[in-house]
PDB file of all heavy atoms in Angstrom:
ATOM      1  N   PRO A1581      14.306   9.274  -3.169  1.00  0.00           N
ATOM      2  CA  PRO A1581      13.693   8.334  -4.237  1.00  0.00           C
ATOM      3  C   PRO A1581      13.127   7.047  -3.577  1.00  0.00           C
ATOM      4  O   PRO A1581      13.576   6.659  -2.517  1.00  0.00           O
ATOM      5  CB  PRO A1581      14.944   8.042  -5.061  1.00  0.00           C
ATOM      6  CG  PRO A1581      15.902   9.117  -4.844  1.00  0.00           C
ATOM      7  CD  PRO A1581      15.696   9.509  -3.398  1.00  0.00           C
ATOM      8  N   VAL A1582      12.068   6.603  -4.185  1.00  0.00           N
ATOM      9  CA  VAL A1582      11.432   5.352  -3.765  1.00  0.00           C
ATOM     10  C   VAL A1582      12.351   4.157  -3.927  1.00  0.00           C
ATOM     11  O   VAL A1582      12.878   3.899  -5.043  1.00  0.00           O
ATOM     12  CB  VAL A1582      10.128   5.168  -4.573  1.00  0.00           C
ATOM     13  CG1 VAL A1582       9.473   3.768  -4.176  1.00  0.00           C
ATOM     14  CG2 VAL A1582       9.146   6.335  -4.274  1.00  0.00           C
ATOM     15  N   ASP A1583      12.507   3.386  -2.835  1.00  0.00           N
ATOM     16  CA  ASP A1583      13.275   2.128  -2.802  1.00  0.00           C
ATOM     17  C   ASP A1583      12.424   0.916  -3.141  1.00  0.00           C
ATOM     18  O   ASP A1583      12.904  -0.125  -3.536  1.00  0.00           O
ATOM     19  CB  ASP A1583      13.982   1.880  -1.489  1.00  0.00           C
ATOM     20  CG  ASP A1583      14.878   3.058  -1.152  1.00  0.00           C
ATOM     21  OD1 ASP A1583      15.685   3.509  -2.091  1.00  0.00           O
ATOM     22  OD2 ASP A1583      14.882   3.495   0.025  1.00  0.00           O
ATOM     23  N   LEU A1584      11.069   1.029  -2.714  1.00  0.00           N
ATOM     24  CA  LEU A1584      10.236  -0.206  -2.818  1.00  0.00           C
ATOM     25  C   LEU A1584       8.801   0.339  -3.104  1.00  0.00           C
ATOM     26  O   LEU A1584       8.371   1.252  -2.398  1.00  0.00           O
ATOM     27  CB  LEU A1584      10.277  -0.855  -1.402  1.00  0.00           C
ATOM     28  CG  LEU A1584       9.569  -2.176  -1.196  1.00  0.00           C
ATOM     29  CD1 LEU A1584      10.217  -2.908  -0.020  1.00  0.00           C
ATOM     30  CD2 LEU A1584       8.061  -1.967  -0.960  1.00  0.00           C
ATOM     31  N   MET A1585       8.277  -0.220  -4.121  1.00  0.00           N
ATOM     32  CA  MET A1585       6.826   0.102  -4.530  1.00  0.00           C
ATOM     33  C   MET A1585       5.881  -0.818  -3.837  1.00  0.00           C
ATOM     34  O   MET A1585       6.081  -2.035  -3.827  1.00  0.00           O
ATOM     35  CB  MET A1585       6.752   0.000  -6.083  1.00  0.00           C
ATOM     36  CG  MET A1585       5.378   0.192  -6.594  1.00  0.00           C
ATOM     37  SD  MET A1585       4.942   1.900  -6.693  1.00  0.00           S
ATOM     38  CE  MET A1585       3.294   1.810  -7.371  1.00  0.00           C
ATOM     39  N   VAL A1586       4.774  -0.273  -3.295  1.00  0.00           N
ATOM     40  CA  VAL A1586       3.788  -1.099  -2.638  1.00  0.00           C
ATOM     41  C   VAL A1586       2.525  -0.920  -3.450  1.00  0.00           C
ATOM     42  O   VAL A1586       2.004   0.130  -3.718  1.00  0.00           O
ATOM     43  CB  VAL A1586       3.530  -0.711  -1.226  1.00  0.00           C
ATOM     44  CG1 VAL A1586       2.390  -1.616  -0.618  1.00  0.00           C
ATOM     45  CG2 VAL A1586       4.814  -0.854  -0.310  1.00  0.00           C
ATOM     46  N   SER A1587       1.977  -2.116  -3.950  1.00  0.00           N
ATOM     47  CA  SER A1587       0.753  -2.157  -4.667  1.00  0.00           C
ATOM     48  C   SER A1587      -0.249  -2.727  -3.712  1.00  0.00           C
ATOM     49  O   SER A1587      -0.055  -3.786  -3.102  1.00  0.00           O
ATOM     50  CB  SER A1587       0.851  -2.984  -5.940  1.00  0.00           C
ATOM     51  OG  SER A1587      -0.313  -3.005  -6.679  1.00  0.00           O
ATOM     52  N   HIS A1588      -1.444  -2.050  -3.638  1.00  0.00           N
ATOM     53  CA  HIS A1588      -2.473  -2.553  -2.636  1.00  0.00           C
ATOM     54  C   HIS A1588      -3.850  -2.134  -3.115  1.00  0.00           C
ATOM     55  O   HIS A1588      -3.991  -1.193  -3.991  1.00  0.00           O
ATOM     56  CB  HIS A1588      -2.241  -1.984  -1.306  1.00  0.00           C
ATOM     57  CG  HIS A1588      -2.482  -0.507  -1.222  1.00  0.00           C
ATOM     58  ND1 HIS A1588      -3.606   0.015  -0.645  1.00  0.00           N
ATOM     59  CD2 HIS A1588      -1.803   0.574  -1.734  1.00  0.00           C
ATOM     60  CE1 HIS A1588      -3.584   1.401  -0.767  1.00  0.00           C
ATOM     61  NE2 HIS A1588      -2.461   1.709  -1.406  1.00  0.00           N
ATOM     62  N   ALA A1589      -4.868  -2.832  -2.654  1.00  0.00           N
ATOM     63  CA  ALA A1589      -6.309  -2.368  -2.873  1.00  0.00           C
ATOM     64  C   ALA A1589      -6.750  -1.546  -1.779  1.00  0.00           C
ATOM     65  O   ALA A1589      -6.494  -1.772  -0.613  1.00  0.00           O
ATOM     66  CB  ALA A1589      -7.196  -3.586  -2.950  1.00  0.00           C
ATOM     67  N   TRP A1590      -7.387  -0.343  -2.159  1.00  0.00           N
ATOM     68  CA  TRP A1590      -7.919   0.530  -1.101  1.00  0.00           C
ATOM     69  C   TRP A1590      -8.996  -0.170  -0.218  1.00  0.00           C
ATOM     70  O   TRP A1590      -9.114   0.222   0.906  1.00  0.00           O
ATOM     71  CB  TRP A1590      -8.454   1.802  -1.760  1.00  0.00           C
ATOM     72  CG  TRP A1590      -7.409   2.789  -2.059  1.00  0.00           C
ATOM     73  CD1 TRP A1590      -6.346   2.699  -2.819  1.00  0.00           C
ATOM     74  CD2 TRP A1590      -7.431   4.224  -1.601  1.00  0.00           C
ATOM     75  NE1 TRP A1590      -5.616   3.836  -2.882  1.00  0.00           N
ATOM     76  CE2 TRP A1590      -6.239   4.790  -2.102  1.00  0.00           C
ATOM     77  CE3 TRP A1590      -8.309   4.897  -0.844  1.00  0.00           C
ATOM     78  CZ2 TRP A1590      -5.894   6.081  -1.882  1.00  0.00           C
ATOM     79  CZ3 TRP A1590      -7.958   6.257  -0.559  1.00  0.00           C
ATOM     80  CH2 TRP A1590      -6.819   6.850  -1.116  1.00  0.00           C
ATOM     81  N   ALA A1591      -9.674  -1.151  -0.782  1.00  0.00           N
ATOM     82  CA  ALA A1591     -10.633  -1.873   0.034  1.00  0.00           C
ATOM     83  C   ALA A1591     -10.046  -2.979   0.908  1.00  0.00           C
ATOM     84  O   ALA A1591     -10.694  -3.651   1.591  1.00  0.00           O
ATOM     85  CB  ALA A1591     -11.683  -2.464  -0.888  1.00  0.00           C
ATOM     86  N   GLY A1592      -8.632  -3.074   0.931  1.00  0.00           N
ATOM     87  CA  GLY A1592      -7.938  -4.046   1.677  1.00  0.00           C
ATOM     88  C   GLY A1592      -7.914  -3.691   3.154  1.00  0.00           C
ATOM     89  O   GLY A1592      -7.909  -2.483   3.592  1.00  0.00           O
TER      90      GLY A1592
END
Side-chain angles (χ1 to χ4, degrees):
V1582 173
D1583 301 313
L1584 186 158
M1585 175 78 180
V1586 179
S1587 181
H1588 70 103
W1590 275 57

